[in-house]
Amino acid sequence: KIPVLILSFFQHALNIGIRRYHVAPVLCQRAKVAMSHFEPNEYINYEKLEKNISIVRKRLDRPLTLSEKIVYGHLDDPAKQEIERGKTYLRLRPDRVAMQDATAQMAMLQFISSGLPKVAVPSTIHCDHLIEAQSGGEKDLRRAKDINQEVYNFLATAGAKYGVGFWKPGSGIIHQIILENYSYPGVMLIGTDSHTPNGGGLGGICIGVGGADAVDVMAGIPWELKCPKVIGVKLTGKLSGWSSPKDVILKVAGILTVKGGTGAIIEYHGPGVDSISCTGMATICNMGAEIGATTSIFPYNARMKKYLGKTGRADIAALADEFQQHLVPDSGCQYDQVIEINLSELKPHINGPFTPDLAHPVSDIGAVAEKEGWPVDIRVGLIGSCTNSSYEDMGRSAAVAKQALAHGLKCKSKFTITPGSEQIRATIERDGYAQILRDVGGLVLANACGPCIGQWDRKDIKKGEKNTIVTSYNRNFTGRNDANPETHAFVTSPEIVTALSIAGTLKFNPETDYLTGTDGKKFKLEAPDADELPKLEFDPGQDTYQYPPKDGSGQHVDVSPTSQRLQLLEPFDKWDGKDLEDMLILIKVKGKCTTDHISAAGPWLKFRGHLDNISNNLLIGAINIENGKANSVRNALTQEFGPVPDTARYYKKMGVKWAVIGDENYGEGSSREHAALEPRHLGGRVIITKSFARIHETNLKKQGLLPLTFADPADYNKIHPVDKLSIVGLKDFAPGKPLKCIIKHPNGSQETIMLNHTFNESQIEWFQAGSALNRMKELQQKSS
């Protein structure tokens, strides 16, 4: 009873009310439809959504976008919530939480620290990030289960104890599992992975967050989100030929760039929407993360209904039909920005290298590559990933491969295939797609993230060797896929990857160019055509789900104090009430600094549950403006250059606070909160940049750091790596009030600049308490 009283206290203390649980049948008058097959007693609550939308509509007195309907439909207090796009912070009640295994470790460690007995909303853990691609699906999965046994056991037992569903290794990639089982029109789902917006392909508001945000929702506390702007993308015409859903988002990325969607939801609408399959819409929403968007969404339509029916959820489709007016935008609604794309004129695109917003038509990439000095020979083609691993994707790729095989050809490049889920793997095996892709030279990998996140034991090149790969993935930052900074990675559709892998060169344009068969005759590949869904039912494959028991209170969760993979968390120190004076600069970052640069993935994934060990990768990929090198910074106390983590540890040992100076869109990419936990753990206090990516900025706040931005971006040039910084006025720290920064140069001169922030009152309390989790504990202690 005590934890319940504690939860009740800090909910009231924060003035946030008591959670409305999903199980209340009185709110579901028309029908009681389960949110998923795995949670038969948790019901979809469209009537509550309808009620909240009605309250907000009367208040705002204007037509609403679809995004607004679903977001405002999940407000904790729709009658009193202040609503202004891009300005106010909303308190929201998401329907569910999903966590992938790399981020779930820290999320569950934080939830354990909260002292609560069970999650307040349906939640799931998905084992997809820790499986390294090496020799093929079955062998790689067996190896991963052996290497990661300690972590998998922790996640399985923690899930059982706290009421969280557990998808075992081999089940598939989190976002494909969500699409197949958990997303539905009108849902609000948060996930501890930046590509959670994939669920927008089924008409849901699905948002990537850090683990601390997930803990809030699992604890039954309203989740805060700055009221998003809404960018409308009007689609006209119809996709045909070699053009695919992937080309839509590659085109949008080229228009908006990697930060053009920051603080906004991308809402697709218009007559062209109906020419895109449900899984194609998911592809588009998935890669919206690459333009910084909060999430992306499509309106409910017949393609979604068809997919729901095929995945065993016809009852959800029928209920969505009844409430369809709330699952599409109002006529006359206003967007903050509108982009129009004629799908009939859209050509196949390929984006890269080194950034996902460098867009090129496939017809141009060969010439551009030669001009820029990029390698044109393709060493490896890789299809799959959470972005493009649907049945339709595999079918279109197989249709291309089948044509090559008919003329005696196989891939000139190495070629890999990653099924998105066990259901997809089993179904493409049954229907022959997998064998066709093997016959053309492909290697089928495990149902996991694999090379897309750097889990790739690549053997065909040496590190530092300049080479090109083409993928159907979502990101292509330097070194992301194989840890080689000289790998030029390009992202495109699975069918274009397949065609280019057969040709072996970027100079091949499948729309116009010919291949030569083994008989010496030239032939041209026809545009692929494939079913969006299987004619038969999906083959579910092996059962890979572990239900949480009704009562998990007796379940033991084991974390060894000597473990190198898992470590219970110690609370961060509270703010001492003083200004941050004479901070050293750990590093002034030059150019792009993604969460991959701040906290690398690949081999470091094994330490995601051990904060001290993973902190040894802090900022090792960031370029130091002082010397143009990665992982080499001057120790201001010894004047010697050394690795970034070692220098940070030295400062911490000496009791010296430090800051990081960053450029534009700092922290773009993955949602990994380790990129915020690590600097806090090693003694960092302030991150000052020209601008932040949304998720990373929130993660920094949650861990008690100060993410600040230059009031004048040109002031970035005033700070030098050898300077000392003081942040003054923290006793008067308040929402909307800039902070003063005094720059002390080595010659004794000083400059003063102003720094902006986006903290609201409760977030300032996180800073003062030392972290959001500390603040939660403070409120618990007051009640005991």
Side-chain angles (χ1 to χ4, degrees):
K1 294 182 180 179
I2 291 174
V4 175
L5 292 172
I6 290 170
L7 176 59
S8 176
F9 173 83
F10 69 74
Q11 285 176 327
H12 285 296
L14 290 171
N15 193 28
I16 53 180
I18 303 299
R19 176 163 184 88
R20 288 75 162 173
Y21 284 87
H22 299 285
V23 294
V26 70
L27 297 175
C28 298
Q29 299 290 334
R30 300 188 200 180
K32 289 175 65 174
V33 175
M35 295 172 70
S36 81
H37 295 308
F38 301 101
E39 295 132 357
N41 297 317
E42 300 281 358
Y43 302 112
I44 294 174
N45 198 340
Y46 279 149
E47 292 200 346
K48 181 65 180 295
L49 185 77
E50 182 177 54
K51 180 181 176 183
N52 285 3
I53 291 171
S54 177
I55 293 169
V56 173
R57 191 193 303 281
K58 288 177 183 176
R59 289 182 55 203
L60 299 183
D61 192 27
R62 61 172 173 79
L64 300 176
T65 67
L66 171 60
S67 310
E68 290 180 306
K69 288 182 179 182
I70 301 177
V71 172
Y72 304 160
H74 284 83
L75 285 170
D76 181 54
D77 188 353
K80 296 179 181 178
Q81 171 71 60
E82 189 179 355
I83 300 171
E84 185 178 354
R85 287 188 198 169
K87 299 285 186 182
T88 57
Y89 279 88
L90 307 178
R91 289 179 177 272
L92 300 162
R93 293 286 189 179
D95 297 300
R96 64 181 311 120
V97 172
M99 300 168 280
Q100 41 95 335
D101 50 355
T103 50
Q105 295 171 62
M106 198 57 68
M108 292 308 295
L109 286 166
Q110 290 178 88
F111 188 81
I112 290 169
S113 296
S114 75
L116 297 172
K118 190 174 183 179
V119 295
V121 300
S123 303
T124 50
I125 294 169
H126 303 260
C127 294
D128 61 0
H129 269 58
L130 302 180
I131 303 168
E132 184 181 50
Q134 194 177 68
S135 55
E138 291 186 13
K139 290 182 180 178
D140 293 347
L141 181 58
R142 283 198 300 270
R143 180 169 172 264
K145 286 180 177 178
D146 180 53
I147 292 172
N148 301 307
Q149 181 180 9
E150 179 186 14
V151 172
Y152 291 147
N153 179 64
F154 165 72
L155 293 174
T157 55
K161 185 173 183 66
Y162 297 105
V164 179
F166 180 71
W167 287 87
K168 302 172 187 176
S171 59
I173 306 172
I174 178 173
H175 310 303
Q176 185 68 29
I177 297 291
I178 289 171
L179 199 72
E180 292 173 352
N181 299 282
Y182 298 119
S183 186
Y184 59 82
V187 71
M188 174 172 276
L189 178 152
I190 66 164
T192 60
D193 189 279
S194 57
H195 292 107
T196 302
N198 191 80
L202 255 179
I205 289 290
C206 302
I207 302 176
V209 299
D213 278 344
V215 172
D216 280 354
V217 177
M218 291 191 294
I221 300 172
W223 172 59
E224 282 193 346
L225 175 72
K226 181 175 272 191
C227 188
K229 295 183 178 181
V230 187
I231 298 174
V233 179
K234 184 179 181 181
L235 302 179
T236 60
K238 184 179 181 182
L239 284 175
S240 63
W242 284 91
S243 295
S244 72
K246 187 66 164 280
D247 298 308
V248 177
I249 186 57
L250 294 177
K251 178 72 172 178
V252 172
I255 295 169
L256 288 176
T257 77
V258 290
K259 64 174 185 175
T262 303
I265 294 176
I266 312 296
E267 183 171 313
Y268 293 86
H269 63 283
V273 166
D274 291 337
S275 74
I276 304 172
S277 67
C278 178
T279 53
M281 293 185 241
T283 291
I284 295 167
C285 291
N286 176 293
M287 202 173 154
E290 271 52 74
I291 54 177
T294 301
T295 191
S296 301
I297 191 169
F298 279 82
Y300 177 60
N301 67 2
R303 306 297 280 265
M304 294 182 191
K305 182 175 182 177
K306 184 177 181 181
Y307 182 80
L308 285 168
K310 204 67 173 180
T311 52
R313 294 175 288 170
D315 53 346
I316 294 179
L319 189 63
D321 285 344
E322 288 187 50
F323 288 86
Q324 185 164 11
Q325 62 174 318
H326 304 301
L327 306 174
V328 296
D330 287 340
S331 177
C333 65
Q334 296 297 306
Y335 297 101
D336 294 283
Q337 179 183 348
V338 176
I339 297 167
E340 186 163 341
I341 297 175
N342 186 339
L343 300 179
S344 300
E345 298 174 355
L346 185 63
K347 290 292 185 181
H349 274 63
I350 183 168
N351 288 22
F354 306 124
T355 185
D357 58 351
L358 186 58
H360 321 272
V362 171
S363 57
D364 297 345
I365 189 60
V368 172
E370 288 188 320
K371 179 183 176 183
E372 298 291 337
W374 303 331
V376 295
D377 291 338
I378 298 167
R379 298 295 288 268
V380 190
L382 306 98
I383 65 170
S385 89
C386 65
T387 313
N388 277 112
S389 55
S390 68
Y391 185 83
E392 181 182 34
D393 290 327
M394 296 295 141
R396 284 174 68 88
S397 297
V400 174
K402 195 171 183 180
Q403 295 178 61
L405 290 168
H407 291 85
L409 298 185
K410 291 190 174 185
C411 291
K412 288 185 178 179
S413 311
K414 289 182 180 294
F415 185 52
T416 70
I417 303 99
T418 303
S421 68
E422 170 61 9
Q423 180 166 278
I424 293 295
R425 183 208 62 78
T427 306
I428 65 172
E429 287 286 2
R430 180 197 69 193
D431 293 353
Y433 291 165
Q435 191 56 50
I436 292 169
L437 295 170
R438 286 194 197 94
D439 290 345
V440 84
L443 174 67
V444 179
L445 302 175
N447 314 323
C449 301
C452 183
I453 60 163
Q455 285 283 45
W456 185 15
D457 185 19
R458 190 177 180 189
K459 302 291 190 184
D460 65 297
I461 60 159
K462 296 178 181 178
K463 190 168 183 178
E465 183 180 342
K466 199 173 180 180
N467 75 103
T468 284
I469 64 174
V470 292
T471 81
S472 70
Y473 302 164
N474 40 52
R475 292 200 177 121
N476 56 350
F477 301 135
T478 303
R480 176 174 173 86
N481 302 123
D482 60 2
N484 179 12
E486 290 301 322
T487 293
H488 293 57
F490 296 84
V491 291
T492 186
S493 67
E495 51 266 47
I496 292 293
V497 172
T498 306
L500 293 178
S501 299
I502 292 165
T505 175
L506 289 176
K507 294 194 287 185
F508 178 69
N509 177 10
E511 287 191 301
T512 58
D513 296 344
Y514 287 79
L515 296 167
T516 302
T518 52
D519 59 2
K521 295 180 180 179
K522 292 185 178 296
F523 72 98
K524 197 171 83 163
L525 293 170
E526 297 294 326
D529 186 31
D531 294 331
E532 64 179 284
L533 295 165
K535 289 183 171 64
L536 302 174
E537 297 304 311
F538 275 110
D539 183 340
Q542 298 179 37
D543 182 6
T544 54
Y545 180 70
Q546 171 187 294
Y547 288 85
K550 288 184 178 179
D551 180 7
S553 58
Q555 175 69 54
H556 181 66
V557 181
D558 200 14
V559 179
S560 168
T562 60
S563 173
Q564 295 300 301
R565 299 289 301 272
L566 297 164
Q567 180 186 46
L568 293 174
L569 297 175
E570 294 292 331
F572 291 131
D573 59 309
K574 291 180 62 173
W575 176 55
D576 61 9
K578 300 176 183 178
D579 288 337
L580 298 169
E581 295 185 344
D582 293 331
M583 290 181 293
L584 299 179
I585 296 170
L586 178 66
I587 183 173
K588 182 179 179 182
V589 178
K590 179 183 178 182
K592 186 185 285 287
C593 191
T594 70
T595 47
D596 282 280
H597 295 90
I598 304 168
S599 176
W604 292 96
L605 285 167
K606 61 179 172 286
F607 297 125
R608 284 286 182 87
H610 196 293
L611 181 54
D612 194 57
N613 282 345
I614 200 169
S615 293
N616 288 321
N617 75 2
L618 175 65
L619 285 159
I620 61 176
I623 301 301
N624 180 8
I625 200 168
E626 186 174 5
N627 57 11
K629 296 180 180 179
N631 203 24
S632 175
V633 295
R634 183 195 301 272
N635 184 320
L637 301 180
T638 67
Q639 295 306 308
E640 296 177 355
F641 279 84
V644 182
D646 293 359
T647 306
R649 286 186 186 277
Y650 187 84
Y651 291 162
K652 182 180 181 181
K653 179 182 176 182
M654 301 304 291
V656 177
K657 298 179 175 67
W658 51 262
V660 170
I661 309 302
D663 210 315
E664 294 277 9
N665 208 30
Y666 183 89
E668 68 175 283
S670 164
S671 69
R672 66 192 68 151
E673 67 179 336
H674 299 78
L677 283 160
E678 291 175 34
R680 184 71 167 95
H681 175 63
L682 295 186
R685 286 295 183 267
V686 181
I687 313 292
I688 305 171
T689 71
K690 294 179 182 178
S691 64
F692 286 97
R694 174 191 62 85
I695 299 176
H696 186 59
E697 182 182 27
T698 301
N699 287 345
L700 291 169
K701 292 177 183 178
K702 288 274 185 178
Q703 303 309 332
L705 285 149
L706 284 177
L708 306 172
T709 56
F710 296 103
D712 179 357
D715 287 345
Y716 169 88
N717 298 314
K718 292 181 179 179
I719 298 177
H720 305 288
V722 293
D723 294 337
K724 292 183 178 180
L725 304 177
S726 295
I727 306 297
V728 299
L730 285 174
K731 288 184 179 179
D732 299 318
F733 190 15
K737 183 179 179 181
L739 290 169
K740 185 184 295 184
C741 175
I742 299 172
I743 308 167
K744 299 179 181 179
H745 301 299
N747 64 6
S749 64
Q750 296 186 5
E751 295 181 75
T752 299
I753 62 173
M754 300 306 295
L755 301 173
N756 295 330
H757 66 85
T758 60
F759 281 79
N760 61 26
E761 290 181 2
S762 62
Q763 292 170 347
I764 291 173
E765 290 176 353
W766 301 343
F767 166 73
Q768 293 167 340
S771 71
L773 192 56
N774 284 0
R775 180 60 181 153
M776 183 189 292
K777 288 181 177 179
E778 284 181 353
L779 294 167
Q780 290 176 350
Q781 289 166 2
K782 288 179 182 178
S783 70
S784 60

